[in-house]
Amino acid sequence: MTFKDRFDAGVKLSEVFEFPENSVIFAIPRGGVPVGYAIAKTKKIPMDLIVVRKLPIPGNPEAGFGAINMDARAILNPAFDALFSQIPVEEIAKDVLNEVLRRNDLYRNSRGYSSLKGKTAIVVDDGFASGYSAIAAYEYLKKLHPDKIIAIAPVCPKETKKMLENYFDEVYCLIESENKPFAVANFYDDFHDLSDDEVIDMLYDLRKENLLHE
């Protein structure tokens, strides 16, 4: 099974996943935004962004050794323990944090988050690979005191889903893959790198339809 693009993946997710009442979607930019956007439009659920970003391995930027959130909280993957003494972890984290804050400023005008008490936070991405971006999102959102935090994506490895279940109240992936090596891009016909303008256009459209959670 493959998806035409991220919008198609979001529509397919919205058709099968039962969203609790008082849900708020928190899409991980950039790739998670069209997935969350399609769900928000289809199910009329408000959406916001949760800006986190993977920490790339030098020389292999598609791979990450963890992720960082807007609190500067770096979540490191212990599978790379042997690598940490060989790479400038703090320098990489600082550079990535600057990009996280830039995106939060550009996409959200650096506005704060309101309490999520009485609501369910739904973390959405175009796929969970290692899962550490989702964990970084979880660590940020839990301080807003939602009743539940759920993670959903079109695709993820089975082992990643199992790992994420140690954090989230529920984890759902439309496709649970056993492929090794795993790559989210392999499940999409169109998996282009989104631009800032594409993200901003989707947020603008959600605001017009009163579907932007602010």
Side-chain angles (χ1 to χ4, degrees):
M1 179 180 180
T2 59
F3 306 103
K4 179 180 177 182
D5 53 26
R6 294 176 177 92
F7 298 102
D8 177 50
V11 170
K12 285 182 167 63
L13 266 176
S14 71
E15 291 172 345
V16 297
F17 185 75
E18 289 289 331
F19 292 87
E21 289 187 16
N22 297 318
S23 289
V24 180
I25 295 166
F26 287 92
I28 296 177
R30 297 184 180 105
V33 178
V35 181
Y37 171 85
I39 296 169
K41 296 274 283 189
T42 302
K43 305 296 287 188
K44 304 303 178 187
I45 297 172
M47 188 185 103
D48 197 351
L49 303 185
I50 181 69
V51 188
V52 300
R53 191 159 167 77
K54 72 181 175 186
L55 299 169
I57 295 174
N60 187 10
E62 294 304 312
F65 61 85
I68 195 166
N69 63 28
M70 289 179 287
D71 279 342
R73 174 83 185 275
I75 313 295
L76 303 182
N77 184 343
F80 293 96
D81 278 350
L83 179 68
F84 297 150
S85 62
Q86 304 172 37
I87 62 174
V89 173
E90 290 186 8
E91 182 180 329
I92 294 169
K94 182 179 179 181
D95 288 344
V96 175
L97 177 61
N98 287 336
E99 174 62 12
V100 165
L101 297 177
R102 184 196 72 84
R103 293 183 179 193
N104 190 49
D105 181 49
L106 182 62
Y107 304 156
R108 304 183 65 257
N109 297 315
S110 296
R111 58 185 169 82
Y113 290 87
S114 56
S115 170
L116 292 173
K117 191 172 182 179
K119 301 182 184 298
T120 296
I122 312 283
V123 174
V124 176
D125 206 350
D126 54 13
F128 301 134
S130 70
Y132 280 82
S133 291
I135 295 171
Y138 169 86
E139 293 293 341
Y140 191 92
L141 289 171
K142 70 179 184 180
K143 71 178 185 177
L144 303 175
H145 307 295
D147 287 3
K148 291 183 179 180
I149 308 179
I150 295 172
I152 67 172
V155 60
C156 67
K158 285 189 174 182
E159 59 191 26
T160 295
K161 180 176 183 286
K162 185 176 180 181
M163 185 266 290
L164 290 175
E165 287 170 344
N166 293 321
Y167 296 85
F168 291 88
D169 294 287
E170 183 179 351
V171 181
Y172 179 81
C173 297
L174 195 57
I175 301 171
E176 296 180 24
S177 175
E178 294 183 341
N179 293 353
K180 290 186 178 181
F182 174 86
V184 173
N186 290 343
F187 295 86
Y188 288 85
D189 296 330
D190 175 4
F191 196 70
H192 73 276
D193 289 335
L194 275 83
S195 67
D196 286 337
D197 286 342
E198 287 178 283
V199 172
I200 291 167
D201 286 346
M202 284 181 271
L203 297 176
Y204 178 75
D205 186 61
L206 290 176
R207 181 176 283 113
K208 284 198 305 181
E209 297 200 19
N210 294 316
L211 287 172
L212 192 64
H213 182 73
E214 297 183 281

